[in-house]
Amino acid sequence: MKLTVNGQERVLEGVDPDMPLLWGIRDLLGLKGTKFGCGKALCGACTVHLDGQPVRSCQTFLADVGDGKVTTIEAISGPVAEAVKSAWIKKMCPNVATASRVRSCLR
């Protein structure tokens, strides 16, 4: 199965097409920015963009992606992205003092 994530075409061998996109992104591709929240597509923690539209990756299956292009938080850049990341770190990691501890909080 081929998957285009953050502009790079990736091949996932022997993967179940009914696997949620979230686990393909996190477990198979190692991109940990997309988070598991509720597992029911209600909280938005797992949101990624599929062809520019927000989708909940916990309820979107690999087979549903088809030839679509997936964009995760790792590919977002610029001032707006930095503001979002900074606000998330302040909210979710309020006691983090060093860059290495921020990275561990984001896992």
Side-chain angles (χ1 to χ4, degrees):
M1 169 175 283
K2 290 182 183 178
L3 196 65
T4 302
V5 179
N6 298 337
Q8 296 182 335
E9 188 173 286
R10 308 289 292 269
V11 177
L12 304 176
E13 297 288 339
V15 67
D16 182 354
D18 291 329
M19 173 187 280
L21 177 59
L22 173 66
W23 303 124
I25 291 169
R26 288 183 58 82
D27 295 348
L28 302 179
L29 300 180
L31 300 172
K32 304 296 185 182
T34 305
K35 305 297 182 193
F36 176 80
C38 65
K40 297 180 181 182
L42 301 173
C43 71
C46 67
T47 302
V48 298
H49 282 194
L50 178 58
D51 291 331
Q53 297 299 310
V55 298
R56 305 299 189 252
S57 63
C58 70
Q59 294 293 312
T60 302
F61 301 99
L62 291 174
D64 298 334
V65 174
D67 292 331
K69 294 176 178 32
V70 177
T71 305
T72 69
I73 190 68
E74 286 88 352
I76 306 300
S77 62
V80 172
E82 292 307 315
V84 169
K85 291 176 187 178
S86 177
W88 191 88
I89 290 168
K90 287 177 186 172
K91 172 106 175 128
M92 301 306 292
C93 310
N95 298 319
V96 175
T98 66
S100 64
R101 291 179 68 198
V102 167
R103 283 191 296 276
S104 68
C105 178
L106 295 177
R107 290 188 188 127

